[in-house]
Amino acid sequence: MTDFDWQPLLLTLRLATVTTGLLLLAGIPLAGWLAESRFRLKPAVEAVISLPLVLPPSVLGFYFLLAFSPTGLLGKKLLAWFDLRLLFTFEGLVVASLFYSLPFMVHPVQAGLENLPASLREASYTLGKSRWETFVRILLPNIKPSLLTGVVLSFAHTIGEFGLVLMIGGNLPGQTRVASVAIYDEVELLHYDTANVYALLLLAVSFGILLAVYAINRRWVIF
């Protein structure tokens, strides 16, 4: 086995952590709005959020590639206004991962909120609590299993990205070469031992995360 490089694994964990943290800030309010909204175009919004569940990652990657390109509409504006380049950068991976993992945060939280009894929200309003106070202090604490599921699924899904990150980030060591891309590289070079180490580590991390969430959710249900 060639000298093992830990950098792709550390970069993968960093990408998953940053993406999950941002999804917590954006996905939870979005899920709350979807759970309460009677907006006529709500099905269209839900369909857009769910696109990463059915589209091949290469399709999303292709359109992100066009959008982030310095000659594309978004890429050109970001470069001109903020001197920000998203193509083949870690920041670009984060932006793409946010959309790619969004349904894994939104769907569990939305389902948890929709399954709460309406009387819980009405009682809070009767006691003079605002909508925001009700959401943060009453509703969210009652859907801890859903929140944990959203966090874990978003984190694990980001770890497993390949086609999307390869098209957006390429294969730049220390910047965009995540573990899934490193496995692909090592297999192409016939370094199966090294590829196996990366794969086993990703398998162990993913299995450990899922095992923990099932165990914690089971404990919360019991108590």
Side-chain angles (χ1 to χ4, degrees), residues 50-101:
S50 300
L51 276 177
L53 297 175
V54 295
L55 277 180
S58 56
V59 173
L60 295 174
F62 172 71
Y63 286 112
F64 276 122
L65 186 67
L66 294 180
F68 293 169
S69 168
T71 59
L73 180 61
L74 178 61
K76 184 186 298 184
K77 297 298 183 184
L78 290 174
L79 193 60
W81 294 349
F82 306 105
D83 194 27
L84 178 63
R85 185 185 299 271
L86 293 179
L87 204 58
F88 305 121
T89 65
F90 179 79
E91 292 76 13
L93 292 185
V94 171
V95 173
S97 297
L98 285 174
F99 181 75
Y100 188 54
S101 294

Side-chain angles (χ1 to χ4, degrees), residues 2-223:
T2 58
D3 292 337
F4 188 75
D5 183 10
W6 289 92
Q7 200 169 53
L9 286 170
L10 297 177
L11 187 64
T12 299
L13 294 176
R14 180 186 168 203
L15 175 63
T17 301
V18 172
T19 299
T20 304
L22 293 175
L23 282 175
L24 273 172
L25 297 177
I28 292 177
L30 178 57
W33 175 75
L34 289 172
E36 291 191 35
S37 176
R38 298 295 180 267
F39 182 47
R40 188 166 54 182
L41 296 180
K42 175 182 172 181
V45 176
E46 291 176 319
V48 170
I49 292 172
S50 300
L51 276 177
L53 297 175
V54 295
L55 277 180
S58 56
V59 173
L60 295 174
F62 172 71
Y63 286 112
F64 276 122
L65 186 67
L66 294 180
F68 293 169
S69 168
T71 59
L73 180 61
L74 178 61
K76 184 186 298 184
K77 297 298 183 184
L78 290 174
L79 193 60
W81 294 349
F82 306 105
D83 194 27
L84 178 63
R85 185 185 299 271
L86 293 179
L87 204 58
F88 305 121
T89 65
F90 179 79
E91 292 76 13
L93 292 185
V94 171
V95 173
S97 297
L98 285 174
F99 181 75
Y100 188 54
S101 294
L102 183 62
F104 293 88
M105 177 66 74
V106 171
H107 287 174
V109 177
Q110 181 184 352
L113 291 170
E114 288 175 344
N115 287 330
L116 290 176
S119 57
L120 193 64
R121 185 180 291 106
E122 293 167 358
S124 178
Y125 294 155
T126 301
L127 293 173
K129 302 294 183 182
S130 66
R131 293 175 65 89
W132 178 249
E133 279 184 302
T134 299
F135 182 68
V136 173
R137 302 182 64 179
I138 305 298
L139 302 184
L140 291 184
N142 280 280
I143 60 163
K144 288 179 183 178
S146 298
L147 290 171
L148 180 62
T149 300
V151 168
V152 169
L153 290 181
S154 299
F155 190 90
H157 189 249
T158 305
I159 285 178
E161 292 177 6
F162 174 68
L164 181 67
V165 297
L166 185 61
M167 294 193 71
I168 297 299
N171 186 11
L172 302 178
Q175 299 181 51
T176 62
R177 187 175 186 255
V178 295
S180 58
V181 176
I183 293 172
Y184 179 78
D185 283 346
E186 298 300 338
V187 170
E188 277 201 320
L189 295 171
L190 302 181
H191 296 160
Y192 295 122
D193 289 343
T194 304
N196 186 45
V197 173
Y198 283 124
L200 284 176
L201 287 171
L202 286 183
L203 176 62
V205 170
S206 300
F207 179 77
I209 290 173
L210 292 174
L211 181 62
V213 71
Y214 281 122
I216 294 173
N217 276 347
R218 178 181 174 84
R219 183 177 180 183
W220 276 341
V221 169
I222 292 175
F223 290 100

